[in-house]
Amino acid sequence: MTTHILIDGENIDTTLGNIILGGRRPTSQERPRWEKVLSFVEREFGGINPLFFLNVKKDGIDPRFLSALIAMRITPIQVSGEESEKVVDIAILKTLRALAKNPAKQSDNVVLISCDSDFADAISELLNGRRKVAVIAFNEFISNAFRTLDAKGIKIFDLENDIGAFTFKLPRNRIMPLATFDPNQF
């Protein structure tokens, strides 16, 4: 059984930079440690097929970034399109729908790394009882559309708290369950 990991790096980077870090582009040290994410998913779900979707614009993608992805066994999926198109979202939606329709993939697990509600319907189609389906992102920014799928068996994981994908504590303002509230952190 394979676990397909679909990484919406654009969404994670935008959420991290524009919201969590206060409107600035994250440095490479502030981005998720993808090797930690992959290790977590492999431990939780089994063999992995990680796909990192990238919007290739006129200036292209930094070849060092592509090399880093490949070195981590992540397949870069480089897509391009019209300026008005959300090419990464479209490519991820096509992949989710292909996984839902392919009889040979009906038991394969699927992990989406994105907060984006655009994927909720396609994720819902994957919840067939034969596979595990999860969303990984920043818990406070995950679309409520994913949370409504909880009864159907979707798992939701936080990039920082559940996976430990960062080398430092992010400046997040989030709701904390009272049972885990530690006043010493403040």
Side-chain angles (χ1 to χ4, degrees):
M1 180 181 313
T2 301
T3 300
H4 303 280
I5 306 170
L6 285 62
I7 304 169
D8 183 354
E10 194 172 64
N11 176 270
I12 296 300
D13 215 46
T14 298
T15 303
L16 181 60
N18 289 347
I19 300 171
I20 296 173
L21 298 175
R24 65 175 177 79
R25 186 179 174 99
T27 66
S28 60
Q29 291 79 23
E30 293 172 321
R31 289 192 167 96
R33 305 281 58 105
W34 293 111
E35 66 279 1
K36 289 184 178 187
V37 175
L38 299 181
S39 294
F40 175 86
V41 173
E42 197 161 28
R43 275 193 317 275
E44 291 289 316
F45 300 102
I48 59 173
N49 174 33
L51 308 172
F52 198 110
F53 293 81
L54 299 157
N55 182 357
V56 180
K57 297 181 180 174
K58 293 176 187 159
D59 54 348
I61 302 290
D62 182 348
R64 294 172 296 183
F65 181 65
L66 293 175
S67 294
L69 290 175
I70 293 166
M72 288 184 282
R73 304 176 326 174
I74 299 173
T75 302
I77 307 295
Q78 301 181 69
V79 291
S80 66
E82 298 298 319
E83 192 71 30
S84 61
E85 291 179 302
K86 295 170 71 173
V87 296
V88 166
D89 288 11
I90 294 167
I92 290 173
L93 283 168
K94 284 183 174 186
T95 306
L96 290 169
R97 289 188 179 118
L99 288 167
K101 291 178 183 173
N102 185 337
K105 307 275 185 202
Q106 291 295 311
S107 297
D108 286 359
N109 300 324
V110 179
V111 174
L112 172 68
I113 302 178
S114 179
C115 304
D116 197 335
S117 64
D118 290 349
F119 305 119
D121 289 341
I123 287 289
S124 180
E125 292 174 26
L126 294 166
L127 296 166
N128 62 11
R130 291 176 292 214
R131 64 164 58 101
K132 294 177 186 174
V133 180
V135 173
I136 298 174
F138 299 105
N139 202 24
E140 66 272 31
F141 301 114
I142 290 175
S143 168
N144 283 334
F146 291 124
R147 296 188 196 290
T148 62
L149 300 175
D150 188 42
K152 291 185 173 184
I154 193 170
K155 300 221 181 281
I156 296 175
F157 297 100
D158 184 85
L159 263 173
E160 182 180 21
N161 296 331
D162 297 325
I163 297 175
F166 296 89
T167 57
F168 66 97
K169 185 164 177 49
L170 292 172
R172 293 166 70 185
N173 187 357
R174 57 187 169 250
I175 298 170
M176 296 170 278
L178 185 56
T180 62
F181 171 69
D182 179 3
N184 295 312
Q185 293 179 353
F186 303 95

